[in-house]
Amino acid sequence: MGDLRQKIKVMSQTVCPRSRTPSDEDLKSPNSGKEEKMQMKRQISLVNGICLIIGNMIGSGIFVSPKGVLMHSASYGLSLLIWALGGIFSVFGALCYAELGTTITKSGASYAYILESFGGFLAFIRLWTSILLIEPASQAVISLTFANYLLESFYPSCQPPYDAVRLLAAACICILIFINCAYVKWGTLVQDVFTYAKLMALLLIIVVGILKISSGETKSFESPFEGSSTDPGAIALALYSALFSYSGWDTLNFVTEEIENPERNLPLAIAISMPIVTIIYLLTNVAYYVVLDMPSLLASDAVAVTFGNAVLGPFKWIIPVSVAMSCYGGLNASIIAASRLFFVGAREGHLPDSLSLIHLERYTPIPALLFNGLMGLIFLCVEDVFQLINYFSFSYWLYVGLSVAGLIYLRITQPDRHRPLKLTLFFPIIYCLCSLFLVIVPLYGDTINSLIGIGIALSGVPVYYVAIYLPVERRPKFIFKLNALATKYTQKLLYCCLTEFDVESETQADGKTQ
């Protein structure tokens, strides 16, 4: 792999050389003589980071299906308590990721942390699962939800046409891929705008709830814990539903290398985002409980729409549009995170080198973004793509738990490593134990789908053995030829180069891979 990457480096210098003849302006510049490194720029500010986290955490779930917690807890009081516990638990995980992100300053989130802690095999399996299932399936589902809610106003009395929904979802993915290919700042601007929009929509729901309470409509909270479930299994499922709604707090860790002053802004963005989301979730559910009775809540397929129909009158259209906008922002955050995951995987030698290229002038990972978009479009062709989500319900918590376990492992094996943020081990230990519970729950409650998900993950074992584990001289020759050919034409067609980081860390990356 090292020889191949050196050849690609030479070819990269030929196709798009990094140095140029200095102009008069250059000679006058105080930085004259210094070459600018070919790597992605730190363009994500603190506000951008906060919007990325909030935008990915608050997807369509709080608008569409917050009833899972209420269904299993069986009372308003217990459900709100479980929402609060889910927020506290998520804060524990986010704090652990704040330490990991400032200690291991690579993009890629759990992939980078598992690679650093436990080596190439487990990291590759995490990457393989993301490529084959997690990222494209989740993006396809989000884009379809966006299309359904946007078309709802045009088809009030029936389901929107199948082809119209699919085409609009595909257009949504393509537009966001183009925006993120153009400039990183365009992607973060879209994220900021749609995050503000979804927060305004939730604020509207919360204000309506507060007005109802102030007018004396507190019947739902007269005996808030009456009828509460005492079954440990039901309470566990309620907590699982709440925690799934909080997932996405690791989004900013996927772009660590692009954050301005990451040692300060990464932990600060997490510290600001988590309380905001927790408080919004609690107040939104209080508003739902004040306006809608329990049978209406549990019978609704889209709780926020039912809420809007009950209280907003002629302005009820605001809610479906808000759900669509929330999905759009969530999809944008997912595309940003997934493309960086593929980019870092290629840079570490686990994916074709062509995916580790960035545009020479725009500094965006265009090949990784296009690959991500292509996978999303392919999954839109699957008729029952929503079923695919069931296959990886456990894997998110497995990989996050492994990352946090890596934090403990690195504390033991590398006690003197520089850590700008250092937590007490109480947080990662508690989080690992809870993650074990979150892995076991879907295995017990949805065994068949979970086993299918495990099978998909294990299908990466022979790929890892043949393409990565075997010594270079024993690997199939066509792999090298295809890799070099793809890299050459990707560089020419997309005007891309290998990043500077690739060349400098070549030996280190090969060592981790082996």
Side-chain angles (χ1 to χ4, degrees):
M1 183 65 76
D3 293 339
L4 177 63
R5 293 179 72 81
Q6 191 63 33
K7 290 178 183 177
I8 292 171
K9 174 192 170 184
V10 174
M11 184 169 61
S12 176
Q13 295 280 11
T14 304
V15 174
C16 42
R18 292 171 189 153
S19 58
R20 55 187 176 85
T21 304
S23 64
D24 291 339
E25 293 295 325
D26 293 329
L27 293 174
K28 294 175 185 177
S29 169
N31 293 323
S32 178
K34 286 186 179 179
E35 282 191 17
E36 190 177 20
K37 280 193 173 182
M38 178 51 60
Q39 57 186 232
M40 288 192 285
K41 305 304 177 186
R42 296 194 180 275
Q43 302 180 62
I44 297 178
S45 66
L46 175 61
V47 173
N48 297 149
I50 293 169
C51 289
L52 269 172
I53 296 173
I54 293 176
N56 206 17
M57 287 181 72
I58 304 178
S60 61
I62 190 64
F63 293 98
V64 179
S65 56
K67 64 183 182 180
V69 178
L70 182 62
M71 180 172 62
H72 293 297
S73 60
S75 76
Y76 294 133
L78 183 58
S79 68
L80 290 175
L81 184 61
I82 288 172
W83 277 107
L85 287 173
I88 293 169
F89 173 74
S90 298
V91 168
F92 278 33
L95 288 173
C96 294
Y97 262 52
E99 177 178 329
L100 284 166
T102 53
T103 304
I104 303 169
T105 55
K106 290 182 180 180
S107 299
S110 56
Y111 166 78
Y113 308 149
I114 293 170
L115 178 67
E116 188 82 15
S117 305
F118 304 116
F121 175 70
L122 288 177
F124 178 81
I125 294 300
R126 189 263 184 268
L127 185 64
W128 180 259
T129 309
S130 296
I131 290 173
L132 282 192
L133 190 59
I134 296 177
E135 301 300 343
S138 60
Q139 289 172 19
V141 166
I142 296 170
S143 63
L144 287 171
T145 306
F146 161 81
N148 271 307
Y149 276 91
L150 200 61
L151 290 172
E152 187 177 276
S153 57
F154 297 99
Y155 299 91
S157 59
C158 62
Q159 287 290 325
Y162 177 89
D163 291 339
V165 171
R166 258 27 187 208
L167 286 172
L168 186 57
C172 171
I173 291 176
C174 291
I175 290 170
L176 286 176
I177 292 296
F178 169 77
I179 288 171
N180 283 283
C181 283
Y183 295 100
V184 173
K185 278 295 182 185
W186 285 15
T188 56
L189 178 62
V190 168
Q191 192 61 44
D192 294 352
V193 170
F194 282 90
T195 299
Y196 298 146
K198 74 175 70 178
L199 289 177
M200 293 300 292
L202 289 170
L203 186 62
L204 173 63
I205 293 173
I206 291 167
V207 168
V208 170
I210 292 172
L211 292 175
K212 291 287 185 182
I213 291 173
S214 63
S215 64
E217 296 186 27
T218 58
K219 184 180 178 181
S220 300
F221 297 102
E222 289 175 358
S223 301
F225 289 93
E226 184 180 349
S228 296
S229 175
T230 55
D231 178 15
I235 294 173
L237 289 172
L239 181 60
Y240 185 82
S241 297
L243 288 171
F244 204 80
S245 296
Y246 281 104
S247 61
W249 44 258
D250 58 341
T251 306
L252 196 56
N253 294 72
F254 282 94
V255 294
T256 306
E257 295 170 29
E258 298 170 72
I259 303 172
E260 298 173 356
N261 191 9
E263 291 188 2
R264 171 187 176 270
N265 288 343
L266 177 61
L268 193 55
I270 289 171
I272 294 171
S273 304
M274 296 305 297
I276 290 175
V277 173
T278 303
I279 291 168
I280 285 175
Y281 276 5
L282 285 170
L283 294 179
T284 303
N285 278 286
V286 168
Y288 289 153
Y289 298 162
V290 168
V291 172
L292 304 173
D293 57 22
M294 192 174 293
S296 299
L297 272 165
L298 297 179
S300 175
D301 290 327
V303 175
V305 174
T306 306
F307 176 94
N309 292 338
V311 298
L312 295 181
F315 299 101
K316 62 184 180 182
W317 55 268
I318 292 175
I319 299 299
V321 172
S322 298
V323 177
M325 294 177 73
S326 182
C327 292
Y328 199 78
L331 180 60
N332 184 64
S334 178
I335 286 172
I336 291 172
S339 62
R340 272 55 175 188
L341 173 63
F342 301 151
F343 168 81
V344 174
R347 192 177 64 190
E348 297 291 345
H350 284 166
L351 290 176
D353 289 308
S354 54
L355 297 182
S356 68
L357 305 174
I358 64 171
H359 194 271
L360 186 64
E361 295 176 350
R362 300 175 186 270
Y363 302 103
T364 53
I366 291 180
L369 282 161
L370 293 178
F371 174 75
N372 177 64
L374 177 63
M375 293 298 293
L377 293 175
I378 290 172
F379 272 66
L380 281 179
C381 299
V382 179
E383 186 169 351
D384 193 14
V385 69
F386 289 86
Q387 173 64 26
L388 299 176
I389 297 295
N390 298 324
Y391 296 155
F392 62 82
S393 58
F394 75 99
S395 62
Y396 175 84
W397 305 109
L398 173 64
Y399 296 130
V400 171
L402 272 176
S403 301
V404 177
L407 185 155
I408 300 171
Y409 176 78
L410 291 175
R411 284 282 193 91
I412 296 169
T413 57
Q414 301 177 22
D416 299 325
R417 184 168 184 160
H418 174 62
R419 292 177 172 86
L421 175 66
K422 190 171 182 179
L423 302 172
T424 172
L425 283 176
F426 169 79
F427 292 102
I429 289 172
I430 293 297
Y431 194 86
C432 283
L433 292 175
C434 292
S435 295
L436 185 63
F437 153 75
L438 291 169
V439 170
I440 292 172
V441 166
L443 283 173
Y444 173 76
D446 195 10
T447 308
I448 299 299
N449 285 329
S450 297
L451 289 176
I452 293 173
I454 292 172
I456 292 171
L458 293 178
S459 68
V461 174
V463 178
Y464 178 82
Y465 178 79
V466 172
I468 299 167
Y469 180 79
L470 284 176
V472 175
E473 61 274 7
R474 292 181 57 193
R475 294 177 200 170
K477 301 300 181 187
F478 74 89
I479 292 178
F480 297 97
K481 292 179 181 178
L482 286 177
N483 194 7
L485 198 65
T487 304
K488 175 183 175 182
Y489 285 104
T490 301
Q491 287 181 314
K492 289 183 175 181
L493 291 172
L494 302 179
Y495 196 48
C496 292
C497 288
L498 284 171
T499 58
E500 200 74 23
F501 187 87
D502 286 347
V503 179
E504 290 176 357
S505 59
E506 176 185 312
T507 307
Q508 184 181 1
D510 282 343
K512 287 174 186 170
T513 300
Q514 293 299 334

